[in-house]
Structure formats: C-alpha cells, structure tokens
Amino acid sequence: MKKLLVFLMCAILVCSCFAFTACKDEDKEDVTTIVEDVTDENGNLKTLGGKTPEQLYADASTLLKNATNFTLTAVQDIRIDMDGEIIEVKQTVVQEVDGDNSHYKTSSDMEGTDSEGWYVDGVIYAEMSGVKAKATISKKDYYEKFLGSSEEENKILDIPESWFSDIVIKQEGEEYYIQFSVSGEEYSKLLNKADLEATIQGNVDYKVYFSKDGKILRMESDFAMDVMGATATTHTESIFTEVGTTKKVTAPADGDSYTDVTDQFNAKID
C-alpha cells in the first residue's frame, strides 16, 4: 500500500510539473486598457478581460511558468479499490519551485508514507521512511525522464482547441472559473514517460479558478487511475501561492550524509 501511494503521489507530481515547469522571468507590461466583456444568453462570460477561455488558460499558465519562484500546495483525496477492499487516504503535497531547483514534501494520514525530496544544482535528494538517498542527474534527464517532459518544450500541457469550443467563464463570488476535460489517453502517455505503470480511466476533469486580472488561483482535478492492480479515484485541489517571490530552495542541511545511488538511479532511467 505504501508503494502504491508513492506511485500516486509521483503520478500527480508528474502532471503538475509538466504543466507548470518554471523557466525565466519576463518583463510585465502595464496594461490599463478597459475591455468590455462578452456574455452569452445565460449571462455567462464568453471573455474575461477580452480573453476567451482558451486564451485565459494559456496566458495564465504561461505567466505562472515564467515565474522563477512559486509554491504549489496540492490536497488530494484518494479512494483506492483493491479487489473490493476500499481504502480512503487524504494526502498533501507542497512543492516549492526556485528556478531550476525544487523541493517537495508529502504528508498523509497513512503511517509511513510521508516523504520529502529536493532537486538542487543537478542532484536529487530523497527521504522516505528514514531512508535517505541522493543521485546526480543531468538537467535534461531530470526534465525528460523524471518529470516526463522536455526542458526545451517550455509549454503548457497541450490541450486541443476542440476542448474549449463550448466553454464559458462563470463567476463565483469575486473569482472566475472554467471547466474542461483532457483526454486520459494523453495523460497516460505522460505517466508512462515517467516509468509509472499507470493508466487513466476516461478523462481528467478540470476546474480552474482565476482572479479578475487573469491570475490562476487554484485548480481542481478529478480522475480515476489503474495502477499496480488497484483502481484509485483522486480529487486534487492545487493552490498556487508566493508566485514571483525570492524564496530559495537549497539542499537539505545533512545532504552530504545521504547515500549516493547515482549509478543505480541512472541505470533505472536509461
């Protein structure tokens, strides 16, 4: 069960990292133009700030990617069906991104599944159940084989335009949101790139919240996954904070004492 939860955590991190990998800062323009938004017959917004749902998602995702620093907190409610035995687990993953360096920490209500990891200056450090290991890995391999994406791609998760054809922007209090689905087949390909034996059932359903100025506030996702002979249904709420801060991610203070498993690690990802 512990191994299964680690797989689930990695699968969700792969998807999150692929969609929002940090890169370089860009200058922000001071936009003061007032745009009259378009609504449909039901009063739902077809544009926000003059942007269609597709443009809103793409631009907001790009702004997040271009921030060298941000924190992503993902709260996951996982329901696991193992041959009729139902297990429910709540898990929290906090991921801090500092340029090319990153740090994550997971905690759950299942004993022995908490873990922590760092990628700093070309070295991965990982700690779980009292075991501490590290491995030197190239930036290219880290992106392509650990995160399941290419460093050079520098893009958001590809979503066909057809998914946005009937989407409207709805208001909820002072926030705005859109809803759409992504093909589970495409997500399964990402998981396979990361060496995770997992398959998404059906589609991945998203609900993305924005501020009035188009900044992503949080994202909710729902999907079912077949992994290691079990079926896991997951609801995740991902909250983005500290975007653009100068918070630094450094290696663990006792990193020198971690067991070096570079040879075994690199052999596994080749």
Side-chain angles (χ1 to χ4, degrees):
M1 176 57 62
K2 292 180 183 178
K3 186 177 180 182
L4 173 59
L5 286 175
V6 172
F7 264 58
L8 287 170
M9 177 201 71
C10 291
I12 294 168
L13 282 177
V14 164
C15 296
S16 299
C17 291
F18 183 83
F20 302 112
T21 300
C23 54
K24 63 181 180 180
D25 278 327
E26 292 183 353
D27 294 333
K28 296 180 176 63
E29 296 181 359
D30 183 15
V31 179
T32 57
T33 304
I34 298 176
V35 179
E36 190 71 26
D37 286 312
V38 180
T39 58
D40 64 11
E41 63 275 11
N42 297 315
N44 295 314
L45 291 169
K46 299 178 69 174
T47 63
L48 179 63
K51 296 179 181 180
T52 65
E54 182 180 6
Q55 293 169 332
L56 184 66
Y57 176 79
D59 289 352
S61 300
T62 299
L63 284 174
L64 182 59
K65 281 181 56 179
N66 286 341
T68 55
N69 299 73
F70 66 86
T71 299
L72 166 62
T73 302
V75 181
Q76 306 156 10
D77 291 305
I78 306 170
R79 186 177 187 273
I80 303 169
D81 185 342
M82 300 182 65
D83 296 326
E85 180 184 0
I86 306 299
I87 300 173
E88 295 184 348
V89 179
K90 191 180 188 69
Q91 182 170 252
T92 300
V93 180
V94 179
Q95 183 183 18
E96 299 170 313
V97 174
D98 171 20
D100 294 327
N101 298 334
S102 63
H103 165 251
Y104 76 84
K105 187 172 184 178
T106 71
S107 58
S108 77
D109 51 13
M110 179 166 283
E111 184 179 354
T113 59
D114 294 357
S115 64
E116 191 168 10
W118 299 257
Y119 180 71
V120 178
D121 299 332
V123 180
I124 289 178
Y125 303 84
E127 177 182 353
M128 184 174 184
S129 301
V131 177
K132 299 180 178 182
K134 64 182 178 181
T136 301
I137 180 174
S138 71
K139 185 178 176 183
K140 182 174 183 292
D141 280 344
Y142 176 65
Y143 275 85
E144 292 185 355
K145 298 177 180 179
F146 188 75
L147 296 186
S149 63
S150 171
E151 172 195 353
E152 288 75 21
E153 285 174 341
N154 187 24
K155 63 182 182 180
I156 63 168
L157 178 66
D158 285 335
I159 299 175
E161 291 184 9
S162 59
W163 289 111
F164 289 91
S165 59
D166 298 320
I167 292 178
V168 295
I169 303 166
K170 297 185 178 182
Q171 186 171 1
E172 190 174 285
E174 296 183 356
E175 299 177 345
Y176 300 81
Y177 70 89
I178 60 174
Q179 290 178 284
F180 59 89
S181 296
V182 178
S183 166
E185 181 180 357
E186 293 303 312
Y187 257 64
S188 296
K189 291 178 182 178
L190 295 181
L191 301 182
N192 291 335
K193 283 184 182 180
D195 233 2
L196 295 171
E197 299 173 2
T199 303
I200 300 293
Q201 296 180 353
N203 294 330
V204 180
D205 296 322
Y206 275 111
K207 190 174 184 179
V208 189
Y209 286 85
F210 304 88
S211 60
K212 188 172 179 61
D213 59 2
K215 176 184 175 183
I216 285 183
L217 301 175
R218 65 186 184 278
M219 175 186 294
E220 297 179 5
S221 63
D222 292 272
F223 62 89
M225 176 192 302
D226 287 330
V227 55
M228 298 177 63
T231 299
T233 304
T234 301
H235 172 79
T236 301
E237 182 176 6
S238 302
I239 304 167
F240 303 98
T241 57
E242 299 183 296
V243 178
T245 67
T246 57
K247 188 173 186 177
K248 297 296 182 183
V249 172
T250 59
D254 60 345
D256 290 341
S257 67
Y258 281 40
T259 302
D260 194 322
V261 294
T262 298
D263 291 342
Q264 301 95 305
F265 191 87
N266 285 328
K268 181 179 179 181
I269 65 173
D270 284 339

